[in-house]
Amino acid sequence: MTPARPVFKPWVPEWLVRVTIFLVLLPGLFILGIYAGNVTEAAGYYGIEPADVQFSIVIYYAALTSFFPLEQRFLSFFATKHYFLLGLFLLTASNLVFYNTHHPAVFIGLRFLEGIFSSGVAGSGMTLLFSRLETSRARTMGYSIFYGILLCSAPLSLMLAAWLLTQYDFNVLYKALIYLQVPGAALLMVTMNDVRIKRRIPLYQIDGISFVFYAVVLTLTGYLLVYGQQYNWLEDPRIRAGALTLFLLLGCFLLRQTALKRPYINLTIFRYRNYRIGLLLLVVLYVCRGALGQTSSFLANALGLDPLHISYLMLANLVGVILSMTVTARLLLLNKNRRLMWLTGFGLLAFFHGMMYSLFAARADASTYVLPLFIQGLGVGALMVPVVSFTVSAVPAAVGPSATAVGVVFRFLGFTLSMALINFFQLLGKSRHYHQLQESVTQLNPYTAERLGLYRQQLLNGGLAPDQAGQAASKLLGKAVDLQAQLQYFMDYYALIAALLLAVMMLIVLFPFARRTLTYFSSRVIPY
């Protein structure tokens, strides 16, 4: 439905409209990146484990994802301007509570509500953005702009958080998020009319039961993937109870969707083959994208870089994303082959992981890693818009909202699966390498004696007493062994991701030929 008055006032130029939408969306995108890049700092501030901070990220993502299908009902009921301002007010209120509390239970519970508030702002922002892009050319540019902002928000939020945390306490980040919301809110009040972008539908027959099922299923999925390895999976009663509840609620949710006349999620979207392929590619993309966090861990733990210098290095990744998405958008507008874009993107990511595999070392120049980070940005930027546009365009427009909502779910699954894989390799892989190295580090090993003597001499030259120097040298050797075990873990994980990417590339190349072969044989009459 086209409103009698435009959404924005007549004097507002189009560039200011886009700047306003950008400023409204940016703080919500920063919320996810601030926690993901500062897990240790958040854990220390709230007095919780790093896994608990990871779960807070997952529960935020789960709330945002589960509320996404319901958000459109509220958007159609409220005037767009009022709905935006309500969402920004609720986000501001939640950040004020975060700023003034240290309680872990309040932190975890409010993170879920914050996800719902962010879903309202992000969903309405996307709807408003794409409602102004009527041609396929404009929509391609819209996808590029939105997902470009999404990808660029991670390094930008990392830089903002690193700069603030070098000078202030952790809770100042919440004050910064509040300040970031002010320009967008001010522009909304000045530039927008009190109109709706959709026909007003009263808030009746809202499927709250499906929302609860959906939210609990996604939250339990995140809980199992974050804590499963830590609790030894099914050996722990909490994991068994969570898994059983997950399958029961998932079954209830699916049965309910098949019985409802207007389902919360239209399951017919899974009938479309290209849509299923797109979802799998999204999961692979987000699993591989999550491996970038291990590069940050390596730069911090092995090279000793502080978060601010790591954020400077991540600017190379930001430049790669922007350059790649600009080129990819142009290629999509020219209707170039998407499969070649996929192969290019996955190939660049495979090259990044292979390159990093050979660059993991205890001593290296930080500038060595600028090129690999740039290549990773190129790979992610080359994949995001082609994969998302291919997935969404694979279903009819009538079920487009459900397709978009499920696409967000699979991005959530890729994100949490990446966390689970990292936790698995971190707890088991690093421990295995550490014990193997310990077996070789004995007093009978001449290399061990030589290294201990070197450490001891350096400490003596530094003025340490002889008896203290011996003890300190043993501790330094233990740290060196732990660092080598961590490097081996990084190499194992990146080798696994590189192998996964090569397998995906092979499937992309072979799938059309296999499909044509199957079609050819299925059309022939088999005599026996």
Side-chain angles (χ1 to χ4, degrees):
M1 173 183 174
T2 303
R5 289 189 299 165
V7 176
F8 288 89
K9 295 177 180 178
W11 58 267
V12 181
E14 187 62 29
W15 66 266
L16 185 56
V17 171
R18 296 180 182 180
V19 168
T20 302
I21 297 173
F22 168 77
L23 290 175
V24 170
L25 292 176
L26 191 62
L29 298 176
F30 270 22
I31 289 173
L32 192 63
I34 281 176
Y35 290 101
N38 300 279
V39 172
T40 305
E41 290 81 0
Y45 178 75
Y46 286 104
I48 56 180
E49 296 292 329
D52 299 326
V53 179
Q54 289 183 335
F55 182 63
S56 77
I57 299 171
V58 168
I59 202 172
Y60 169 86
Y61 210 151
L64 188 151
T65 302
S66 58
F67 189 74
F68 195 81
L70 201 60
E71 179 270 333
Q72 295 296 314
R73 290 292 306 274
F74 290 92
L75 179 61
S76 64
F77 181 77
F78 294 101
T80 307
K81 177 180 177 179
H82 297 162
Y83 189 64
F84 264 131
L85 292 175
L86 176 62
L88 292 175
F89 170 77
L90 292 173
L91 282 175
T92 301
S94 63
N95 283 320
L96 281 173
V97 176
F98 283 135
Y99 180 75
N100 290 288
T101 185
H102 283 73
H103 200 284
V106 175
F107 171 65
I108 297 295
L110 196 55
R111 284 289 284 163
F112 184 84
L113 294 177
E114 189 180 35
I116 292 177
F117 304 153
S118 296
S119 179
V121 174
S124 53
M126 288 177 61
T127 302
L128 184 58
L129 175 64
F130 286 100
S131 68
R132 306 182 66 83
L133 306 173
E134 297 179 355
T135 64
S136 59
R137 179 185 181 88
R139 286 184 176 274
T140 299
M141 294 304 297
Y143 278 124
S144 301
I145 293 170
F146 178 78
Y147 286 103
I149 295 171
L150 179 64
L151 292 176
C152 293
S153 65
L156 289 176
S157 62
L158 178 64
M159 178 175 291
L160 173 65
W163 182 78
L164 288 174
L165 291 177
T166 56
Q167 306 180 56
Y168 306 102
D169 293 333
F170 184 83
N171 63 342
V172 173
L173 293 177
Y174 302 121
K175 188 183 291 188
L177 289 173
I178 293 172
Y179 291 153
L180 283 174
Q181 290 167 351
V182 172
L187 284 173
L188 281 177
M189 295 181 68
V190 173
T191 60
M192 290 188 73
N193 290 314
D194 295 335
V195 298
R196 295 175 177 83
I197 57 178
K198 291 187 174 185
R199 180 173 59 88
R200 187 176 187 273
I201 302 175
L203 293 177
Y204 63 87
Q205 295 182 346
I206 291 180
D207 193 2
I209 297 176
S210 292
F211 165 69
V212 172
F213 281 157
Y214 203 35
V216 175
V217 164
L218 293 178
T219 302
L220 284 174
T221 301
Y223 177 83
L224 295 176
L225 291 176
V226 170
Y227 292 106
Q229 183 62 43
Q230 182 177 336
Y231 294 153
N232 292 322
W233 295 105
L234 296 178
E235 294 181 11
D236 189 276
R238 290 167 291 187
I239 299 299
R240 290 199 299 270
L244 179 61
T245 306
L246 169 63
F247 286 114
L248 288 175
L249 291 180
L250 179 60
C252 293
F253 176 78
L254 295 176
L255 289 174
R256 181 175 175 81
Q257 301 317 297
T258 57
L260 288 175
K261 183 179 179 181
R262 296 182 181 86
Y264 197 71
I265 297 293
N266 194 326
L267 300 180
T268 59
I269 56 177
F270 292 104
R271 297 177 183 173
Y272 301 94
R273 177 180 55 84
N274 285 352
Y275 183 71
R276 298 193 300 269
I277 293 173
L279 293 178
L280 291 176
L281 292 177
L282 274 175
V283 171
V284 173
L285 173 58
Y286 270 75
V287 167
C288 298
R289 183 171 172 243
L292 184 63
Q294 299 308 289
T295 301
S296 298
S297 299
F298 162 74
L299 294 173
N301 299 332
L303 301 189
L305 297 182
D306 59 82
L308 191 59
H309 284 85
I310 293 174
S311 68
Y312 292 153
L313 286 177
M314 288 298 169
L315 289 178
N317 186 258
L318 179 68
V319 173
V321 168
I322 295 173
L323 177 62
S324 183
M325 295 200 78
T326 303
V327 174
T328 303
R330 181 62 181 170
L331 294 175
L332 286 172
L333 293 176
L334 295 174
N335 293 321
K336 297 299 181 180
N337 193 319
R338 269 198 181 91
R339 282 203 310 126
L340 292 179
M341 297 182 203
W342 295 346
L343 289 172
T344 301
F346 283 122
L348 287 169
L349 287 178
F351 183 69
F352 160 75
H353 287 87
M355 195 174 184
M356 285 300 301
Y357 181 89
S358 62
L359 291 176
F360 283 128
R363 294 181 181 179
D365 187 1
S367 60
T368 307
Y369 302 94
V370 171
L371 180 59
L373 291 171
F374 175 74
I375 292 173
Q376 200 274 352
L378 288 178
V380 172
L383 285 170
M384 183 62 79
V385 175
V387 171
V388 170
S389 60
F390 170 81
T391 306
V392 174
S393 63
V395 299
V399 292
S402 290
T404 303
V406 173
V408 177
V409 171
F410 274 76
R411 290 201 289 273
F412 164 81
L413 291 176
F415 178 79
T416 50
L417 184 60
S418 174
M419 278 189 179
L421 287 172
I422 290 171
N423 289 340
F424 173 80
F425 276 86
Q426 210 162 19
L427 291 173
L428 287 187
K430 181 182 173 181
S431 176
R432 177 170 56 85
H433 288 299
Y434 183 79
H435 290 305
Q436 288 176 350
L437 289 169
Q438 270 192 326
E439 291 176 359
S440 62
V441 179
T442 63
Q443 294 292 339
L444 299 178
N445 190 328
Y447 178 78
T448 302
E450 180 184 351
R451 178 59 65 93
L452 279 172
L454 179 63
Y455 286 147
R456 188 172 184 277
Q457 188 60 46
Q458 289 175 346
L459 292 168
L460 289 173
N461 294 338
L464 204 64
D467 55 338
Q468 295 176 335
Q471 296 176 356
S474 299
K475 292 181 179 179
L476 288 176
L477 182 63
K479 288 183 178 179
V481 171
D482 183 73
L483 176 59
Q484 289 299 320
Q486 192 170 33
L487 291 175
Q488 289 293 327
Y489 141 68
F490 287 141
M491 294 172 69
D492 288 348
Y493 188 70
Y494 272 57
L496 173 68
I497 298 298
L500 172 64
L501 288 165
L502 291 175
V504 170
M505 291 175 65
M506 187 176 298
L507 289 174
I508 292 173
V509 171
L510 296 178
F511 183 77
F513 301 101
R515 184 165 173 263
R516 283 199 292 267
T517 302
L518 290 173
T519 303
Y520 174 81
F521 281 108
S522 64
S523 64
R524 294 291 185 268
V525 177
I526 301 176
Y528 52 86

